[in-house]
Amino acid sequence: MLGIETSCDETAAAVVKNGREVLSNIISSQIDIHKLYGGVVPEIASRKHTEIINQVITEALDTAGVGLDDLSGVAVTYGPGLVGALLVGVAEAKAICWARDIPLVGVHHISGHISANYIENAELEPPFLCLVVSGGHSHIVRVTDYGKYEILARTRDDAAGEAFDKVARVIELGYPGGPKIDKLAREGDPDAVPFPKAKVNGADLDFSFSGVKTAVLNYVNAYRMKDVPYSKADIAASFQNAVVSVLTEHTMEAAKRCGIDRIALAGGVASNSALRASFEKACSANGYRLFRPSPVLCTDNGAMIACAGYYEFMAGVRHGWDLNAVPNLKLG
Ligand code: KG4
Ligand code: ZN
């Protein structure tokens, strides 16, 4: 299966055999262009995808040692994401499938992130619980079967990755903020500033990250107004601590309520070192088995799309030439 991913600022293609064996995984990042603007510029993202997608796919096929005629199908992210960016991948996948008369399988981007866990864990099968934390999503999901998801909790405002990116901007670390906060936090004290760990009334497993983001902004502004220096490392570590502890506590509570003892992590923020350490500790304390993809499979890539697409394909899913990009596609 060839997997194509262009939902945001990564142009990615991969060849995966039988859902779990990665033969190639090529990722071309646009970060160097978008960081000039402090975030992803949708129009630039679409243009850059069109410029490079053929090259990325050719490299994925060459590295895997296969040709288009060896493919059983093409899996492509068709939502959620930036509409112009998604359209590039969808049009490309349709063109290949039409030209070679092979099946087209549209994949939900988050289903891809969750499926990344299958790649390095041959023994992992549903059911399990998954914390999905990316730039656009913060969900606790019960995976009931391949491609079947039940959302147990969600964010009421910002996604976890979005909060990392916004806080990084406040303390002038640049884009993308997540990896920069992760790195700087290692030099700071996670207990230096007691940033709020927001609770949501009425839905106690849900998340809310706009409060902690505003608290960081107010904290920094107070120091700037007095022209007093502050420790960026302490802010990064304390903010990260507030976010990571809420993500861990809520996921452990969800697992307890569902009686599920296998927990997985997914999405770009799942590559955060403090989050991984916190989950390792909590899972071992509770006797849960933890699964988490290698960092390169946590952030956007084509292998996770090929993997998710394989299970859709095996379940008989085939999309037609009317497949369109769906920017706000729902999971489940
Ligand atoms: O899953 P992803 O690559 O794209 C989306 O589907 O959104 O996630 C990107 C997000 C960004 O917000 C980025 O700052 C965050 O993941 N991220 C991290 C780390 N690496 C990426 N956040 C915290 N720590 C990291 N190490
Ligand atoms: Zn993603």
Side-chain angles (χ1 to χ4, degrees):
M1 187 75 70
L2 172 69
I4 300 175
E5 157 62 42
T6 64
S7 67
C8 192
D9 59 349
E10 253 90 38
T11 317
V15 179
V16 176
K17 192 174 169 186
N18 296 330
R20 299 198 187 215
E21 193 187 334
V22 178
L23 303 183
S24 64
N25 192 22
I26 308 299
I27 304 163
S28 169
S29 175
Q30 305 176 354
I31 282 174
D32 284 346
I33 304 155
H34 298 293
K35 76 179 181 199
L36 304 173
Y37 306 94
V40 178
V41 183
E43 177 65 18
I44 295 177
S46 330
R47 285 170 187 263
K48 290 289 156 193
H49 285 310
T50 23
E51 280 171 21
I52 202 143
I53 190 157
N54 284 330
Q55 212 174 309
V56 169
I57 290 174
T58 305
E59 199 178 331
L61 295 168
D62 288 351
T63 307
V66 301
L68 290 176
D69 291 325
D70 298 314
L71 300 173
S72 306
V74 179
V76 62
T77 307
Y78 72 107
L82 303 169
V83 66
L86 289 164
L87 274 170
V88 177
V90 169
E92 180 82 20
K94 283 199 238 179
I96 295 172
C97 291
W98 185 76
R100 297 295 159 136
D101 195 21
I102 50 176
L104 171 70
V105 181
V107 168
H108 191 292
H109 183 72
I110 296 304
S111 181
H113 274 303
I114 295 170
S115 303
N117 281 285
Y118 297 131
I119 293 170
E120 294 159 312
N121 297 293
E123 71 283 22
L124 178 64
E125 285 184 13
F128 60 92
L129 204 68
C130 188
L131 172 71
V132 184
V133 271
S134 68
H137 292 79
S138 300
H139 286 342
I140 300 175
V141 176
R142 193 197 334 229
V143 182
T144 53
D145 201 347
Y146 290 106
K148 298 274 178 292
Y149 308 106
E150 194 186 319
I151 298 173
L152 304 180
R154 61 181 77 239
T155 178
R156 293 304 181 93
D157 37 59
D158 292 347
E162 198 178 350
F164 270 92
D165 294 338
K166 286 179 178 170
V167 164
R169 200 173 303 157
V170 170
I171 56 173
E172 295 159 337
L173 297 182
Y175 178 84
K180 295 195 165 140
I181 287 187
D182 192 348
K183 193 160 167 239
L184 186 61
R186 287 174 207 158
E187 294 160 29
D189 174 5
D191 298 315
V193 193
F195 288 127
K197 295 173 191 171
K199 295 280 173 205
V200 178
N201 289 336
D204 58 353
L205 291 178
D206 276 3
F207 303 111
S208 166
F209 297 115
S210 70
V212 59
K213 178 195 69 189
T214 308
V216 172
L217 188 63
N218 291 341
Y219 181 91
V220 170
N221 281 343
Y223 275 82
R224 280 183 186 152
M225 265 153 57
K226 286 185 264 170
D227 208 14
V228 175
Y230 55 90
S231 163
K232 289 187 181 182
D234 281 351
I235 294 175
S238 301
F239 158 76
Q240 182 172 267
N241 183 33
V243 172
V244 163
S245 58
V246 168
L247 292 171
T248 312
E249 282 163 25
H250 287 205
T251 310
M252 294 304 133
E253 179 60 24
K256 197 165 108 193
R257 288 187 200 172
C258 299
I260 293 183
D261 62 1
R262 291 183 314 159
I263 296 178
L265 298 176
V269 184
S271 60
N272 181 270
S273 56
L275 182 77
R276 292 166 88 91
S278 169
F279 266 76
E280 273 154 31
K281 198 167 155 206
C283 285
S284 100
N286 288 294
Y288 299 150
R289 174 104 196 260
L290 177 66
F291 299 88
R292 62 255 183 264
S294 298
V296 69
L297 292 173
C298 287
T299 41
D300 291 349
N301 65 86
M304 68 183 198
I305 302 305
C307 176
Y310 168 81
Y311 289 103
E312 298 285 329
F313 174 87
M314 294 306 278
V317 172
R318 303 288 184 272
H319 283 97
W321 309 133
D322 58 348
L323 179 69
N324 206 350
V326 185
N328 58 354
L329 185 63
K330 298 281 169 280
L331 184 72

